[in-house]
Amino acid sequence: MLAPFGHPFYVMAKPVGSSCNLNCRYCYYLSKGKGRMTEQLLETFIQQHIEAQTQTDILFTWHGGEPLLTPLSFYARAIELQQQYAHGRHIDNCLQTNGTLLTDEWCAFFRKHNFLIGISIDGPQWMHNTYRQQFDQTLQGIRLLQKHGVEWNAMATVNHVNADHPVAFYRFFKELGCEYLQFTPVVERHEGQVTTESVTPAQWGNFLVSLYDEWIRKDVGRLFVQLFDATLANWVGAEPGVCSMSALCGLSPAMQPDGSLYCCDHFVFPEYRLGNIRQQTLTEMVYGERQQAFGQEKRNGLSQRCRECDYLFACHGECPRNRFLPDHENYLCEGYRQFFEHVAPTMNFMAAELAAGRSPANVMDTI
């Protein structure tokens, strides 16, 4: 089994599907279905999601497209329904947005209800606007979140342009006051060919190494970089907290505004449709055989090279969507290998510090 019944899962709910007010060149989701979630379906989703969880803390994740195209009243109703069905359990909400539609009203609401907001921003203006748009509006949205005291993190893509400028990329977020930084490589294909916006394996490796060197000297325990935290977690045998670096996947399905549930946000295709919450419960679909098999395939489908790799424990073959080379090898493998070889000494040191009950931030004193 992928996970025992009751293991927490996190549905990526998409209230407006792929609808968005921007048209980013590398977006993998724009071609997916649009629409708007009804209040009736919202109630069904919230009730099922809460009932499916056995832990006391429950997380709702709102994604897009651009979820702020749904009026604020939709999320106000979501809060009411969460309180109605919580039965004493604690509920958190996080929402991913491009930030351009944020207002004082939105931010006051997010602060009142303790939303965590992820902002899609790809670096300073010239980097961001290369493949995205409206940097000034996104930056204004971040300032509004800061003004209202809303907790936020940055969620960037690493693409063919900004990958060559890792230090400028990192320092921008640091100067912006970002405390939690996530980034994901752009790897998209069109007619079987990797797109021009995509990062190359060599770029990815150089980017990770250079950014890590900037971080490890000054910012361990001060600025949290998701990939580095996940790598350290795998180094000590803990759960990495990010599906791409986990041994198995399948606990982050995506739900379209009509209630259709898919195996993963990156696999919203007919063959990966699990069903619809109008006819089946989330529990039945997430713990059903098809989703279990999908999650197991991440490990079962490893290439021979992955199985023999000294660093398999550190990435577990990364995301299956990037395994399109012969023998299911991961397109980014060489970049990851370069990164793991480079960070091994400091990762070993931080792992030893953790084992001794000390802070991994002590690594900064040794460099």
Side-chain angles (χ1 to χ4, degrees):
M1 290 289 288
L2 169 64
F5 180 82
H7 192 284
F9 61 86
Y10 309 99
V11 175
M12 189 175 289
K14 296 176 177 286
V16 294
S18 64
S19 298
C20 188
N21 62 319
L22 300 183
N23 186 26
C24 305
R25 282 175 54 183
Y26 53 63
C27 183
Y28 65 90
Y29 212 79
L30 285 177
S31 62
K32 311 305 180 185
K34 295 177 172 61
R36 181 157 297 182
M37 189 181 296
T38 65
E39 185 174 311
Q40 181 183 16
L41 187 68
L42 174 66
E43 181 169 4
T44 300
F45 166 60
I46 287 175
Q47 181 180 9
Q48 287 192 17
H49 192 271
I50 292 175
E51 289 178 350
Q53 310 296 331
T54 58
Q55 72 279 15
T56 57
D57 294 324
I58 300 172
L59 178 66
F60 282 83
T61 301
W62 308 98
H63 211 274
E66 174 47 57
L68 296 194
L69 290 175
T70 299
L72 192 152
S73 58
F74 174 88
Y75 297 101
R77 180 58 178 155
I79 295 296
E80 293 175 355
L81 291 167
Q82 289 171 353
Q83 293 171 347
Q84 176 182 337
Y85 290 105
H87 301 303
R89 284 177 282 184
H90 177 77
I91 294 179
D92 288 308
N93 290 274
C94 63
L95 182 145
Q96 174 70 19
T97 173
N98 59 45
T100 63
L101 301 178
L102 286 169
T103 63
D104 281 303
E105 184 181 17
W106 274 109
C107 293
F109 174 83
F110 291 145
R111 180 67 182 90
K112 178 180 179 180
H113 298 289
N114 298 312
F115 272 63
L116 168 63
I117 304 300
I119 295 287
S120 298
I121 180 170
D122 289 347
Q125 185 172 25
W126 73 269
M127 293 186 194
H128 180 87
N129 282 347
T130 300
Y131 297 131
R132 299 180 63 87
Q133 306 109 43
Q134 300 188 16
F135 172 85
D136 290 340
Q137 290 89 335
T138 298
L139 188 61
Q140 180 183 7
I142 292 174
R143 296 308 185 198
L144 284 172
L145 292 172
Q146 293 171 327
K147 169 187 170 182
H148 287 269
V150 179
E151 186 177 357
W152 68 282
N153 58 33
M155 304 183 74
T157 71
V158 180
N159 53 62
H160 192 70
V161 172
N162 64 6
D164 287 333
H165 306 275
V167 174
F169 173 93
Y170 179 76
R171 291 179 180 175
F172 165 79
F173 288 107
K174 186 175 177 179
E175 292 167 5
L176 193 59
C178 175
E179 297 180 0
Y180 299 92
L181 175 60
Q182 302 177 40
F183 49 79
T184 185
V186 172
V187 180
E188 296 300 324
R189 290 181 292 163
H190 179 67
E191 296 181 350
Q193 300 297 316
V194 175
T195 64
T196 58
E197 296 87 2
S198 298
V199 66
T200 68
Q203 281 183 310
W204 182 236
N206 292 335
F207 175 88
L208 293 179
V209 165
S210 297
L211 197 148
Y212 182 85
D213 285 348
E214 186 78 4
W215 172 79
I216 196 71
R217 290 185 174 91
K218 302 177 182 178
D219 297 323
V220 180
R222 299 169 187 165
L223 198 162
F224 297 89
V225 181
Q226 183 188 52
L227 180 60
F228 301 161
D229 289 345
T231 300
L232 180 57
N234 277 336
W235 225 268
V236 300
E239 285 293 327
V242 55
C243 58
S244 63
M245 307 292 279
S246 299
L248 303 171
C249 59
L251 291 174
S252 299
M255 191 183 75
Q256 288 287 75
D258 67 349
S260 294
L261 193 71
Y262 292 82
C263 292
C264 171
D265 181 50
H266 291 287
F267 290 86
V268 179
F269 303 108
E271 60 269 34
Y272 294 99
R273 184 179 182 274
L274 297 171
N276 190 293
I277 64 170
R278 288 190 174 98
Q279 289 84 40
Q280 298 164 271
T281 67
L282 288 173
T283 299
E284 291 171 332
M285 290 185 281
V286 174
Y287 298 114
E289 291 184 5
R290 289 183 61 203
Q291 184 69 344
Q292 297 286 306
F294 174 83
Q296 291 281 0
E297 182 59 22
K298 179 172 185 184
R299 180 171 58 193
N300 297 341
L302 287 169
S303 69
Q304 188 62 34
R305 186 181 185 189
C306 275
R307 296 176 189 277
E308 297 172 354
C309 179
D310 291 339
Y311 297 107
L312 175 60
F313 72 92
C315 75
H316 299 288
E318 207 244 1
C319 183
R321 70 185 292 265
N322 294 328
R323 299 178 186 175
F324 53 81
L325 298 184
D327 191 32
H328 303 289
E329 288 192 11
N330 192 301
Y331 169 78
L332 294 172
C333 176
E334 291 303 324
Y336 277 111
R337 180 184 290 274
Q338 177 187 351
F339 169 64
F340 295 138
E341 288 177 348
H342 180 79
V343 305
T346 47
M347 283 291 167
N348 287 335
F349 179 90
M350 289 190 287
E353 290 297 282
L354 283 170
R358 297 187 292 265
S359 171
N362 293 335
V363 70
M364 294 185 289
D365 297 329
T366 71
I367 299 175

